[in-house]
Amino acid sequence: MTDPDTFTTYQTSSGHRGLDLAEPLIFELDSPGRCGVDLPDAPDVPNRLGGLERVAAIGLPGLSEPQVVRHFVRLSRNNFAIDAGLYPLGSCTMKHNPRLNEKMARLPGFADIHPMQPVETVQGALELIDILADWLLTLTGMPTIAMSPAAGAHGELCGLMTIRAALEAQGDAREVVLVPTSAHGTNPATAAICGYRIEQIPADDRGRVDLAALKEKLGPHVAAIMLTNPNTCGLFENQIVEIAEAVHEAGAFFYCDGANFNAIVGKVRPGDLGIDCMHLNLHKTFSTPHGGGGPGSGPVVLAEALAPYAPLPMVVRDADGLDLVEHRAGGAESSFGRLKGFHGQMGMFVRALSFILSHGADGLRQASEDAVLNANYIMAQLQDLFSLPFPGPCMHEVLFDDSFLKDSGVSTLDFAKAMIDEGFHPMTMYFPLVVSGAMLIEPTESESKISLDQFITSMRHLGERAIRGDADFFAGAPYLAPYRRLDETQAARKPVLRWREATKAAEAAE
Ligand SMILES: *Cc1c(COP(=O)(O)O)cnc(C)c1O
């Protein structure tokens, strides 16, 4: 553990970047007139650009290949990644991305095709989408799937647009979507984007949906409920069948947020629980790489009643081979339309199917069991020191709150910063909102017992230090990270606030 005062930035004698990790912008590394490649003089060809030719430099940095490589490698070392260490970011399922999947995604037959190619020339790709769809339907126990959504939140949008189209087709204009208080922020955001009013359902003291409160809220104005299972407290909603029955009785649809499907693959089929619609985060459950902005993939499984309204395109198999529904006359009159260019995230499909086939059905079940076992191991090893708001056992993630830090002067944020020095990515903080100062830890199945024990040792060490009362130490952490703390004070936020005020003023003036 480093003392704050010993952390210094090293300056080299020649003035070039030494070991200080503040990497300059690539434009600052540029020297005027340099070019990374040696090109022959341009041949004298007649200019056919008709006055559109460039007349001034476009300002791209000129760097040699080694300069570019070093710049990006140095930048990458400023970041934490699943390839660098345990990344227990609850609900995000930062599991190892097997390199086999990368190899498969780079096969030229998948990587080099173009979505505008004639369908006869991409039969292999369509077959891969079809096989993956079939696995996802089998694992979820649902009849139909829309493959094109590009992420979980996009899948939610797909699901609610499908539900809205189905209700409109019945002439049933319902205006409310019910969302539990523990929901991921994307749930209410999606419902709002679709024009619904959001009503919250409280959690009960077991961290699950309060069934009585839900029943009270249900009525002819409710279009859907959006429920996450296992929920974001890491708990299985064990009244889910009763919830589904109550929702259907009220004529509403049951949307399930399937971001936590990795906890139950091969154990429970959501289709057997009465859900109508659920997105799958291939980038979480089936380990396609994520973080840093994507790409993800969020296929949506749908019940029979919603299937006609699903977005296009759909891969279909007939006597002539595989085709896309949008190509076939009369194939899709009631679909709500397109959600995304082309057919979805092909590279993610290849990786997800590679993960599925290399595990097999038994391996997928084992992965879920190991993910749940690992989370329960952490819970068992920490629950005497940390505060557990809801009694276990948990599913694939364990939720602590900040009551063990009471009177210590250490906040969940401070604690998370100190974890960085211990070599771990912080857990998910302050989410879900149902507890104070949430710490949501998801180890995933890819961690070994040795790495879990290292994590537990660090967490206990920090927990004991916090309880002992060492608030100054925590307030200064992290000490070893390339960047210390961002300025999170009100003063630092002023430009954002000014921008918001200016936007509001502009809107008011319109
Ligand atoms: C990750 C997550 C989402 C959103 O998925 P993205 O792929 O990030 O858009 C929604 N709900 C829950 C519970 C999640 O964990």
Side-chain angles (χ1 to χ4, degrees), residues 3 16 73 133 140 181 211 238 261 332 392-393 401 410 429 437 485 491-493 504:
D3 191 79
H16 86 285
V73 168
T140 55
T181 41
L211 186 58
N238 45 16
F261 188 46
D401 65 22
V410 178
M429 304 177 286
R485 282 203 187 199
R493 293 178 55 224
K504 265 197 203 139

Side-chain angles (χ1 to χ4, degrees), residues 303-377:
E304 222 56 91
L306 292 173
Y309 309 98
L312 299 176
M314 288 253 182
V315 175
V316 287
R317 191 185 285 275
D318 62 19
D320 302 330
L322 291 141
D323 196 3
L324 293 161
V325 165
E326 63 187 347
H327 288 166
R328 305 197 318 168
E333 302 84 4
S334 50
S335 161
F336 76 72
R338 284 198 79 98
L339 203 61
K340 186 182 184 311
F342 308 120
H343 322 311
Q345 306 281 53
M346 191 62 203
M348 297 298 112
F349 295 161
V350 182
R351 288 173 175 88
L353 187 63
S354 171
F355 183 85
I356 288 172
L357 294 180
S358 58
H359 279 72
D362 58 339
L364 292 174
R365 186 184 309 117
Q366 174 91 50
S368 291
E369 287 172 355
D370 290 350
V372 172
L373 180 65
N374 282 356
N376 277 284
Y377 181 61

Side-chain angles (χ1 to χ4, degrees), residues 148-162:
S148 63
H154 205 210
E156 292 173 32
L157 185 64
C158 170
L160 280 207
M161 287 176 79
T162 310

Side-chain angles (χ1 to χ4, degrees), residues 59-100:
L60 290 177
L63 290 95
S64 68
E65 183 171 315
Q67 278 183 303
V68 173
V69 169
R70 284 176 183 167
H71 171 69
F72 285 107
V73 168
R74 283 193 303 254
L75 271 183
S76 76
R77 294 200 302 191
N78 283 355
N79 212 351
F80 194 93
I82 185 63
D83 292 342
L86 195 155
Y87 201 139
L89 195 64
S91 211
C92 293
T93 313
M94 303 303 289
K95 62 167 86 167
H96 172 65
N97 311 124
R99 294 308 187 260
L100 173 68

Side-chain angles (χ1 to χ4, degrees), residues 91 151-153 156 184 186-187 228 232 257 259-260 279 281 283-284:
S91 211
E156 292 173 32
H184 195 266
T186 49
N187 292 187
T228 310
T232 58
D257 178 330
N260 295 336
H279 75 260
N281 300 59
H283 46 291
K284 295 180 182 172

Side-chain angles (χ1 to χ4, degrees), residues 47 59 105 214 228 263 287 344 376 469:
N47 177 359
L214 165 67
T228 310
S287 91
N376 277 284

